[in-house]
């Protein structure tokens, strides 16, 4: 006999909202959903298991008498348009949880290797002058030595510099490996997770331009320098309040120091500003704000060009790409230091293959072996 499970309307409604699923979408897969919500019928266990998978929540959560209170585990510093997240999506919560687990694993691994607290973490205060901190960022990340001339090259060099100083850098536009769960940059662009041994930066790709990704990378690094975890958005206006505004200012100064601004003196059109900004791996909008703050552009011209840039914002978006190398994508999602540590620890027998496969997100030895070769571990 099939087992029926008692559920409450509020929990079912919470699960749909958390997964951003509409009632109409859900009832197509679960025709009895209306009866479950009204209390006229109870789902069978198997039906509830499928509903849990459909809404990306645990079966245990669905049988609770009331919806769980899911608060963001890190400070919400800012989102785009300076809107604070009142109810985080399941995609965001699950992404933070996933990367916290990665961080916990790497913290233990680093401690076993004898790692010590990274000295730059918490080394500055939001009361410090942004120009001074930006100079420190450029020193730590060796930005004065970067020879990149395009935003994608800048991203490669910034990621490598962050990893070289001990920061885990992970990037994705989806939850885990699930292409049906895209992340939204309207909700967040990135976050930092502070840890003495395993500081972590996550960048939400989700079609964002390389220039926006570069800004997010350095912005989250500024939060780590200040000693904090943070969820942030990388404001187009370089505004916000408190620490978020301070990190925006530090980032803009680090990526576009005063001695770089002369490159824009001859720029007149939107295209001129875009071409010049690409040399420094930033968007034209960030460049315009820096020029304005440094009094290198008059207010009228600034407004005219800024309006034109915003009207054609899609021009700086990442081009959609189909396919791509699976192992490059997997390495980006895990970060090279973490992926290398997982493979190495597993091959040395300190981490079981079952756990190693789980961390990588595969059940196949072939994928593990190919990743090891891709990382040049074997």
């Amino acid at each position: 006999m099939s087992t029926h499970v008692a559920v409450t309307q509020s929990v079912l409604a919470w699960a749909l909202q958390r997964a951003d699923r509409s009632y109409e979408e859900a009832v197509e897969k679960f025709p009895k959903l209306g009866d479950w919500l009204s209390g006229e019928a109870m789902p069978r266990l198997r039906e509830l298991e499928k509903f849990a998978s459909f809404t990306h929540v645990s079966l245990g959560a669905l049988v609770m008498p009331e919806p769980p209170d899911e608060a963001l585990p890190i400070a919400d510093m800012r989102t785009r348009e300076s809107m604070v997240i009142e109810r985080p999506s399941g995609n965001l919560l699950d992404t933070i949880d996933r990367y916290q687990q990665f961080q916990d694993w790497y913290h233990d691994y680093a401690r076993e290797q004898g790692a010590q607290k990274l000295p730059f973490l918490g080394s500055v205060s939001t009361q410090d002058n942004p120009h001074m901190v930006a100079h420190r960022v450029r020193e730590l990340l060796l930005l004065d030595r970067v020879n990149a001339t395009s935003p994608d090259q800048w991203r490669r060099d910034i990621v490598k510099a962050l990893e070289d100083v001990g920061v885990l850098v992970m990037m994705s536009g989806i939850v885990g490996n699930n292409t049906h769960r895209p992340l939204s940059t309207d909700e967040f662009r990135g976050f930092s997770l502070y840890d003495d041994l395993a500081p972590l930066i996550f960048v939400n790709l989700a079609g964002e331009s390389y220039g926006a990704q570069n800004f997010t990378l350095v912005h989250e690094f500024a939060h780590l320098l200040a000693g904090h975890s943070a969820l942030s958005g990388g404001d187009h206006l370089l505004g916000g309040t408190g620490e978020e505004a301070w990190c925006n200012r530090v980032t803009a100064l680090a990526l576009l120091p005063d001695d770089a601004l002369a490159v824009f003196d001859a720029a007149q059109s939107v295209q001129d500003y875009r071409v010049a900004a690409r040399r420094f791996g930033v968007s034209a909008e960030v460049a315009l704000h820096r020029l304005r703050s440094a009094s290198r552009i008059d207010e009228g011209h600034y407004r005219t060009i800024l309006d034109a840039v915003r009207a054609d914002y899609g021009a700086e978006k990442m081009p959609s790409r189909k396919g791509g190398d699976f192992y490059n994508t997997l390495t980006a999602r895990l970060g090279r230091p973490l992926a290398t540590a997982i493979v190495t620890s597993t091959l040395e027998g300190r981490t079981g293959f079952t756990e190693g496969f789980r961390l990588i997100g595969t059940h196949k030895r072939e994928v593990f072996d190919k990743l090891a070769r891709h990382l040049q571990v074997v």
Side-chain angles (χ1 to χ4, degrees):
M1 182 174 68
S2 299
T3 302
H4 288 79
V5 183
V7 293
T8 64
Q9 177 183 2
S10 61
V11 171
L12 292 174
W14 160 79
L16 289 174
Q17 178 275 323
R18 186 184 189 276
D20 196 24
R21 300 282 201 179
S22 68
Y23 173 81
E24 291 74 20
E25 181 184 7
V27 80
E28 289 185 4
K29 290 184 174 292
F30 305 95
K32 298 179 182 178
L33 179 60
D35 294 335
W36 300 348
L37 287 168
S38 68
E40 294 180 8
M42 295 184 297
R44 292 183 173 86
L45 178 59
R46 183 57 181 154
E47 290 175 318
L48 197 60
E49 289 174 339
K50 290 181 179 179
F51 187 79
S53 177
F54 177 73
T55 55
H56 313 296
V57 301
S58 69
L59 184 62
L62 289 178
V63 299
M64 294 175 64
E66 296 179 356
D69 182 14
E70 291 189 300
L72 280 168
I74 57 179
D76 178 9
M77 294 293 184
R78 210 207 60 79
T79 60
R80 187 179 293 182
E81 307 299 337
S82 298
M83 295 288 291
V84 174
I85 296 174
E86 295 181 357
R87 183 177 294 175
S89 71
N91 286 350
L92 171 56
L93 290 168
D94 292 348
T95 296
I96 294 175
D97 179 69
R98 174 181 175 84
Y99 286 92
Q100 284 178 324
Q101 291 182 45
F102 286 150
Q103 184 181 55
D104 290 344
W105 185 91
Y106 193 85
H107 175 98
D108 292 341
Y109 173 84
R111 185 176 57 189
E112 291 174 0
Q113 302 299 307
Q116 302 293 318
K117 178 183 176 179
L118 298 169
F120 60 84
L121 294 172
S123 62
V124 304
S125 164
T126 56
Q127 302 304 311
D128 291 339
N129 185 297
H131 284 83
M132 179 194 74
V133 179
H135 181 71
R136 176 70 172 142
V137 170
R138 291 188 65 82
E139 284 185 332
L140 286 167
L141 302 185
L142 304 177
L143 295 185
D144 288 326
R145 302 184 189 180
V146 172
N147 293 317
T149 56
S150 65
D152 57 323
Q153 293 174 336
W154 271 95
R155 190 188 77 166
R156 178 199 63 205
D157 289 349
I158 291 172
V159 169
K160 184 178 185 305
L162 287 166
E163 292 177 342
D164 285 348
V165 298
V167 178
L168 300 173
V169 179
M170 304 173 184
M171 300 181 287
S172 183
I174 60 176
V175 180
N177 299 321
N178 191 339
T179 56
H180 298 291
R181 298 186 67 185
L183 301 174
S184 170
T185 52
D186 287 332
E187 186 172 33
F188 79 109
R189 279 183 164 173
F191 57 77
S192 54
L193 298 176
Y194 184 89
D195 183 90
D196 286 351
L197 304 182
L200 185 151
I201 290 172
F202 177 83
V203 176
N204 178 5
L205 300 182
E208 287 289 88
S209 69
Y210 285 117
Q213 293 170 34
N214 294 337
F215 194 93
T216 298
L217 285 165
V218 179
H219 176 100
E220 300 305 334
F221 186 58
H223 280 300
L224 294 175
L225 287 179
H228 302 139
S229 299
L231 177 76
S232 19
D235 195 347
H236 285 308
L237 304 177
L238 302 189
T241 58
E243 183 171 325
E244 193 70 1
W246 180 85
C247 287
N248 281 332
R249 181 69 172 149
V250 167
T251 303
L253 290 165
L255 291 173
L256 269 178
D258 289 339
D259 58 9
L261 298 182
V263 172
F264 296 88
D265 286 347
Q268 291 296 320
S269 67
V270 171
Q271 186 60 22
D272 290 340
Y273 283 99
R274 282 212 173 102
V275 170
R278 283 176 56 84
R279 292 176 55 182
F280 302 96
V282 300
S283 68
E285 189 160 353
V286 168
L288 285 166
H289 285 299
R290 277 289 290 118
L291 291 166
R292 183 196 192 195
S293 66
S295 300
R296 299 290 290 258
I297 185 173
D298 68 74
E299 187 68 17
H301 191 51
Y302 163 79
R303 289 292 178 186
T304 299
I305 298 298
L306 181 61
D307 288 345
V309 167
R310 288 176 175 169
D312 194 26
Y313 177 63
E316 291 187 324
K317 288 279 190 177
M318 284 272 289
S320 59
R321 294 181 298 176
K322 296 183 178 179
D325 184 89
F326 172 80
Y327 294 96
N328 284 337
T329 300
L330 181 58
T331 301
R333 289 176 185 166
L334 295 172
R336 185 170 291 272
L338 175 67
T340 301
I342 292 170
V343 170
T344 300
S345 181
T346 302
L347 291 175
E348 292 177 350
R350 288 180 285 121
T351 297
F353 273 93
T354 299
E355 175 69 357
F357 287 8
R358 183 190 71 80
L359 289 165
I360 288 171
T362 185
H363 299 290
K364 299 179 180 179
R365 177 63 189 260
E366 178 186 8
V367 172
F368 177 90
D369 289 342
K370 286 186 176 180
L371 178 62
R373 290 195 292 273
H374 177 80
L375 297 168
Q376 299 182 336
V377 174
V378 294

